Amino acid sequence: MISFLTSFSPAFILIFAGILAGFMPSYPGRKVLMIGAPAAALVLLNVMFLSASGTDGYLGGYLSVAGIELTTIRIDQLSMIWGNIFAFVGIINGIFALHEKCKITDTSALIYTGAGIGAVFAGDLITLFIFWELLALSSVFIVWRGGKEAYPAGMRYLAMHILSGVLLLSGAVIYGRATGSYEFNHIGMDAPGGKLMLLAMGIKAGFPFLHNWIQDAYPKSSVTGTVILSVFTTKLAIYALARGYAGTELLIYIGGIMAVFPVFFAVLENDLRKVLSYSLNNQLGFMVAGIGIGSSLALNGVAAHVVVDILFKGLLFMSMGAVLHRVGTTKASELGGLFRSMPYTTLFCIIGAGSISAFPLMGGFISKSMIIAAMFEEGHLIVFLMLLFASAGVLEHSGIKVPYFAFFAHDSGKRVKEAPWNMLAAMGIAAFFCIYLALPIPGAGMYSLYAMLPYEMTGDAAFLPYTGDHVVFQMQLLMAAMLAFTVLKKIGLYPPERRAQILDSDWIYRRLGLSLLIWADAMWTRLGTHIKLVVRRVLSFAAKRLYYVFSPAGALSQDAPSGLAAVLTAFMLAASLLIVYFLR
Amino acid sequence: MAKKPSPAKPHADIHPAAVPFLWLANKKVVKNFIYVPLIGLIVFSLLGLVFPLYHPAKWDFFMSYSVIGFVSYSFVVLAAWPLFKLLSRPENYYGEGGDD
């Protein structure tokens, strides 16, 4: 029985459940699938892991498609941590979405979660590509659930992800033909097709200038949609980079830039879900930089940060989802004072904010410190400083701005109901783990997180976050940033929240590119008209000339003098004779 | 005899769990909140003398992270003023409506 169950990827449970949900008219039945299917996948993948324990890894779930053997299961320490957190968060998402009676969201969410897990367990590049594309196709419906205004954003989202898929496939084919293997292991920049695949992963990971789909699509999705979307796509890209490009130095600098630039945009944004989307980008920067370092401490930091980031970022998105659900907006300029109506949501949001800001005894404190420490150890001091700067920036946008403007600040006078029980339950679970995974309890807490990490965390490799100097200096950073906030607020230098569209690099294709296309279209139309006119004139002229020659009233119909005819005939006869003479 | 209208409950529109925390919105509390991070900063900066960094960088001193935190945060926030002028456009700039 166990050998049968372990012969196919846990992803198929979710994908099958998603298809089933699409045909299921019963709302409670779909909700059972929403929670039950990720739970079943979580159990199954751990059964697989346990049955493969003692080995370096387990490969299986072979399928033959068009002469290529696909490996749909690859169980090892790296894939397990992603698989576990994906399946676990699938359950939390299911709980958060319990109140929503939308067949499309349920179906898409299940397939999307399945595609994420399938891609993580892909043993070869073609399987990765298949799930990579399924991820894009299933998630775009979740974006579109945001309503009419989400449609164009969804189209742009789809275009970017299809492009990413095409690049991945192109790179994979070049790589496969050159090396004779499609196995998905370390690839590196210099491998054939390596740069194309890096670019494909860069799109999904939100590299600078390729990041706009995140801030464009995520905030426009539905209350539950944004929460679901925030988990899988970007973290899968981080997994793919960790698997294929660990130690690629370029990623250190890309990660550094990714951590810094969203901070400036997040301060400007008024929509708090958009602020969180920039914050998501900023946290991905820490992960990408860690992958670039490639040391065991850095990669452990990346894996740990993926786990806690999914939890605290999910928690923050859930709290804003609850606000949107109850108030109808997440514009900071229209919120404020909501702690009076939504105290539990406020508490959960503060836990998420504290966690992302890396306060001691909260998730981010452990994982982010590992990446920053690894950066310092490897001597990348400029990027190290950039990450410190970004840490202060994180406190601004996610640590202070989101909870402050939504739940405190001036009282907007909005009195609403607390979030539904299922939302509170989902937020409660995420909040619990944000704290639990940071507690220094022997055999539990952060050590249970350590136990999941891809590299050993004992002996010399042990990372001890709760040393006096680390706690003190981290608190210095956070307290100083909080003091800066209060001082700037007091002297009126903290910018007010204003409704506006903030331009980002997507202006290049949304405005400039579109304008160029419209201009090119207009020019083409004018050119076409002009060409038509010229052709018409030329044809008309030619027709006139022909008419003058061949028409009944034309030159050839007129009587010619016989003398001229005789000369012409003689000339033609002479020419014919000469031709015949020389050709013979 | 007409019933006397029951007196309006104080905080009727406030969630019961939030009532004990209404002091958070008290003007005095808000005004004096600045002392929380200020005292925290002083305490942790002094603790920096007791627990110096185990692996200091060239530029580190006992309150270096305080300086980094304060300067970084202030820079980010102050940069928002010119950036807003430069990058902000009307909400419907792209003609697709708002985000909500």
Side-chain angles (χ1 to χ4, degrees):
Chain A
M1 178 67 177
I2 284 182
S3 65
F4 167 72
L5 285 174
T6 55
S7 62
F8 60 89
S9 169
F12 293 120
I13 296 177
L14 287 146
I15 294 168
F16 178 71
I19 295 166
L20 199 63
F23 293 102
M24 190 173 276
S26 153
Y27 151 72
R30 286 202 309 274
K31 294 302 165 187
V32 168
L33 286 176
M34 282 286 280
I35 297 170
L42 183 64
V43 170
L44 180 61
L45 66 93
N46 280 286
V47 168
M48 284 179 176
F49 182 64
L50 289 175
S51 59
S53 62
T55 60
D56 281 346
Y58 167 76
L59 293 174
Y62 297 109
L63 291 171
S64 189
V65 177
I68 299 172
E69 189 166 79
L70 306 180
T71 311
T72 60
I73 305 173
R74 186 244 302 275
I75 300 272
D76 60 13
Q77 284 290 127
L78 192 66
S79 59
M80 271 308 288
I81 191 163
W82 263 264
N84 270 323
I85 190 66
F86 278 11
F88 181 66
V89 170
I91 300 170
I92 296 181
N93 288 345
I95 296 170
F96 187 76
L98 268 181
H99 65 283
E100 195 175 70
K101 296 180 180 178
C102 174
K103 204 184 267 187
I104 293 173
T105 303
D106 294 347
T107 302
S108 307
L110 281 166
I111 297 176
Y112 181 46
T113 310
I117 292 176
V120 160
F121 288 108
D124 64 275
L125 292 165
I126 304 299
T127 307
L128 178 71
F129 163 75
I130 292 168
F131 285 115
W132 195 267
E133 288 298 60
L134 185 60
L135 198 77
L137 294 174
S138 53
S139 55
V140 75
F141 291 99
I142 303 175
V143 176
W144 282 334
R145 283 299 302 157
K148 204 174 65 181
E149 284 156 6
Y151 183 75
M155 290 305 289
R156 287 189 291 272
Y157 172 90
L158 190 60
M160 288 299 279
H161 287 277
I162 295 291
L163 174 66
S164 164
V166 170
L167 290 170
L168 180 69
L169 183 62
S170 312
V173 169
I174 294 169
Y175 180 81
R177 288 177 74 100
T179 62
S181 166
Y182 286 98
E183 277 180 29
F184 180 29
N185 292 315
H186 182 80
I187 300 167
M189 286 262 286
D190 300 327
K195 289 186 182 72
L196 281 178
M197 285 189 274
L198 180 67
L199 192 58
M201 291 166 193
I203 290 175
K204 269 198 173 21
F207 279 8
F209 298 107
L210 303 173
H211 66 280
N212 292 111
W213 62 268
I214 299 175
Q215 295 81 25
D216 187 16
Y218 283 8
K220 293 197 179 78
S221 184
S222 64
V223 167
T224 53
T226 307
V227 176
I228 297 164
L229 288 166
S230 71
V231 179
F232 302 102
T233 306
T234 51
K235 306 308 180 300
L236 169 65
I238 296 299
Y239 167 80
L241 288 169
R243 171 78 69 189
Y245 294 91
T248 303
E249 198 179 351
L250 177 66
L251 292 179
I252 297 175
Y253 306 108
I254 292 177
I257 294 167
M258 275 172 81
V260 169
F261 88 85
V263 166
F264 293 99
F265 284 96
V267 184
L268 300 176
E269 278 297 340
N270 183 35
D271 182 343
L272 296 179
R273 292 204 302 172
K274 210 164 191 174
V275 171
L276 289 177
S277 301
Y278 276 112
S279 165
L280 177 67
N281 223 154
N282 149 275
Q283 296 301 302
L284 292 169
F286 283 85
M287 298 171 203
V288 170
I291 293 167
I293 301 166
S295 65
S296 54
L297 176 62
L299 290 176
N300 274 344
V302 172
H305 201 48
V306 164
V307 172
V308 294
D309 179 77
I310 286 176
L311 291 168
F312 61 60
K313 192 50 60 59
L315 180 54
L316 287 166
F317 271 119
M318 282 192 266
S319 64
M320 285 304 104
V323 167
L324 181 63
H325 182 67
R326 287 304 192 206
V327 184
T329 183
T330 49
K331 305 274 190 217
S333 54
E334 279 151 57
L335 297 175
L338 283 178
F339 84 94
R340 296 169 177 84
S341 312
M342 305 176 80
Y344 299 121
T345 307
T346 307
L347 174 68
F348 294 138
C349 183
I350 289 172
I351 291 172
S355 207
I356 195 172
S357 306
F359 273 90
L361 303 178
M362 292 189 172
F365 179 69
I366 311 284
S367 56
K368 215 183 278 183
S369 312
M370 287 160 88
I371 297 172
I372 294 177
M375 191 65 73
F376 185 74
E377 261 182 19
E378 298 296 319
H380 293 284
L381 296 182
I382 300 288
V383 184
F384 168 75
L385 277 175
M386 288 167 84
L387 296 188
L388 283 186
F389 173 83
S391 299
V394 171
L395 181 76
E396 152 48 24
H397 57 69
S398 296
I400 293 176
K401 183 170 177 169
V402 171
Y404 177 75
F405 284 104
F407 301 107
F408 301 100
H410 73 285
D411 184 10
S412 62
K414 290 186 165 67
R415 297 289 180 263
V416 293
K417 276 186 180 175
E418 176 56 281
W421 71 268
N422 59 300
M423 287 186 171
L424 291 177
M427 286 190 272
I429 295 168
F432 170 77
F433 280 100
C434 278
I435 295 171
Y436 175 76
L437 292 176
L439 296 179
I441 308 166
M446 70 180 203
Y447 294 102
S448 53
L449 177 66
Y450 280 9
M452 292 197 287
L453 300 180
Y455 297 96
E456 232 9 72
M457 285 288 278
T458 51
D460 289 344
F463 178 73
L464 304 170
Y466 290 103
T467 56
D469 64 326
H470 184 216
V471 172
V472 164
F473 280 80
Q474 178 66 9
M475 285 305 291
Q476 277 188 19
L477 186 91
L478 297 172
M479 285 294 161
M482 281 172 68
L483 181 67
F485 167 72
T486 48
V487 169
L488 293 170
K489 199 83 186 142
K490 212 171 179 73
I491 59 179
L493 281 179
Y494 194 94
E497 295 306 306
R498 286 172 284 188
R499 297 184 73 121
Q501 173 70 51
I502 304 298
L503 301 186
D504 195 346
S505 57
D506 59 346
W507 177 86
I508 294 167
Y509 55 84
R510 290 179 72 180
R511 194 71 178 204
L512 181 67
L514 188 66
S515 303
L516 281 175
L517 273 181
I518 292 169
W519 178 81
D521 182 55
M523 285 300 109
W524 183 252
T525 310
R526 286 176 71 178
L527 188 68
T529 314
H530 199 70
I531 288 171
K532 266 185 196 169
L533 198 70
V534 170
V535 169
R536 197 177 296 157
R537 279 183 188 164
V538 169
L539 287 177
S540 161
F541 176 77
K544 263 184 194 168
R545 298 309 305 162
L546 288 172
Y547 182 81
Y548 289 146
V549 176
F550 293 108
S551 73
L556 288 179
S557 303
Q558 286 173 12
D559 293 335
S562 57
L564 178 62
V567 171
L568 277 174
T569 310
F571 174 74
M572 285 171 74
L573 182 63
S576 305
L577 285 172
L578 282 171
I579 289 167
V580 171
Y581 177 78
F582 284 109
L583 284 181
R584 279 186 69 191
Chain B
M1 202 172 105
K3 267 190 177 177
K4 262 189 180 177
S6 56
K9 284 182 189 172
H11 315 308
D13 55 350
I14 308 287
H15 192 289
V19 174
F21 299 99
L22 287 176
W23 57 269
L24 285 171
N26 184 301
K27 274 187 182 169
K28 269 189 182 170
V29 173
V30 173
K31 196 180 165 191
N32 294 318
F33 184 77
I34 193 167
Y35 292 109
V36 175
L38 180 65
I39 292 166
L41 181 66
I42 293 167
V43 169
F44 284 105
S45 295
L46 291 175
L47 280 173
L49 289 168
V50 184
F51 299 100
L53 274 171
Y54 194 66
H55 296 292
K58 286 174 214 163
W59 57 78
D60 276 324
F61 61 104
F62 77 101
M63 53 184 297
S64 55
Y65 278 47
S66 303
V67 175
I68 292 172
F70 193 89
V71 172
S72 302
Y73 189 96
S74 304
F75 179 72
V76 168
V77 171
L78 294 175
W81 290 97
L83 282 176
F84 190 84
K85 276 189 182 164
L86 183 72
L87 299 174
S88 71
R89 297 289 182 277
E91 259 194 311
N92 202 19
Y93 178 70
Y94 290 121
E96 293 174 9
D99 292 331
D100 287 344

